Amino acid sequence: MHSTLVAAAAHAAGGALEVACQHVPGALMKFTDIVVDKGLGSWVWDTKGNKYLDMTAGIGATSTGHCHPAVVEAVRQQAGSIVHAQQNIFRAHTKQLELDAALAHIMPPLLNKYFYCNSGSEAVDNAVKIARAATGRDCIIAFDGGFHGRSIGAMALTSSKVIYRQHFGPLMPGVHVAPYPYCLHCKVMGEKGRAGYHVAPYMPPFDSPDNRVCCNAPQEAL
């Protein structure tokens, strides 16, 4: 089995892009055609040995850089201890208890329950479930232009781009999108021919004081 995987990997490296295009769904949009082989710190190397500066940090997931020695060692130790301590089977595991104790030192006293999950979308989906169960209410308010994830639940709250929701309806009901109270991008002022403040309101030429006061337009006007 191992020799088969090694041979397949070697074949894939020879025509990496072609293999990726053949097997990866087209819906997963890519910004580049780079096929990464390894990474270290802020750098990544492709299957042809080219070196690139990675300025994305995995949207925060690799904030310590690729393959940071401390992270690699922690993963190595955990893999040698236990890989998956299923939450609904075991009450807790030792590393979870360590993290619980660390969070207790920095979180407000009333925020003392922690729900660990794998992604932002999963966190948002469960936040909606918890809020509905706790309040007995069905509706959720989300701000216009926000990104909350692309799972079927979180997608209903996301309005930052039309493409995130396109062709996936009907979405989760009970979601109401409200304008964010930010005069710099006020839609009412835009309709009046004035787009709120300047892009840099602290730089001249300055608006008159009356331009810097909320117009208090009713939500229906938006």
Side-chain angles (χ1 to χ4, degrees):
M1 180 64 178
H2 176 71
S3 60
T4 302
L5 291 175
V6 170
H11 174 73
L17 183 57
E18 291 77 9
V19 173
C21 292
Q22 182 180 356
H23 297 292
V24 178
L28 298 176
M29 184 187 72
K30 308 296 181 183
F31 286 101
T32 73
D33 286 333
I34 299 171
V35 180
V36 175
D37 180 50
K38 61 181 180 180
L40 184 64
S42 299
W43 301 94
V44 295
W45 287 261
D46 66 12
T47 53
K48 298 179 180 179
N50 297 310
K51 183 180 178 181
Y52 302 90
L53 177 61
D54 182 4
M55 302 179 69
T56 63
I59 319 180
T62 55
S63 57
T64 59
H66 294 287
C67 301
H68 189 286
V71 175
V72 170
E73 182 57 28
V75 171
R76 200 173 272 136
Q77 289 184 14
Q78 188 60 45
S81 174
I82 187 168
V83 174
H84 180 39
Q86 191 172 334
Q87 289 191 62
N88 64 331
I89 299 298
F90 306 107
R91 171 63 70 177
H93 55 85
T94 53
K95 290 300 179 182
Q96 177 192 329
L97 297 178
E98 292 177 15
L99 181 55
D100 289 343
L103 289 174
H105 286 291
I106 61 175
M107 297 297 290
L110 294 180
L111 294 179
N112 56 9
K113 302 290 186 184
Y114 315 123
F115 184 90
Y116 300 114
C117 45
N118 298 306
S119 69
S121 294
E122 187 180 356
V124 170
D125 283 350
N126 281 280
V128 171
K129 290 165 64 178
I130 292 169
R132 284 179 167 176
T135 64
R137 300 174 181 175
D138 300 330
C139 295
I140 305 293
I141 298 175
F143 284 124
D144 182 30
F147 178 84
H148 300 282
R150 283 175 279 193
S151 60
I152 196 65
M155 193 192 318
L157 282 71
T158 293
S159 57
S160 55
K161 290 183 180 178
V162 175
I163 195 172
Y164 290 146
R165 303 156 59 110
Q166 207 167 30
H167 309 306
F168 299 123
L171 301 177
M172 180 179 69
V175 176
H176 301 271
V177 179
Y180 196 80
Y182 186 36
C183 291
L184 180 58
H185 300 297
C186 177
K187 294 182 180 180
V188 173
M189 298 298 282
E191 288 297 319
K192 293 180 178 179
R194 195 149 46 92
Y197 298 165
H198 292 308
V199 175
Y202 51 85
M203 298 288 289
F206 297 114
D207 289 334
S208 61
D210 64 307
N211 286 359
R212 293 173 177 260
V213 178
C214 179
C215 64
N216 294 314
Q219 183 173 333
E220 291 78 10
L222 299 170

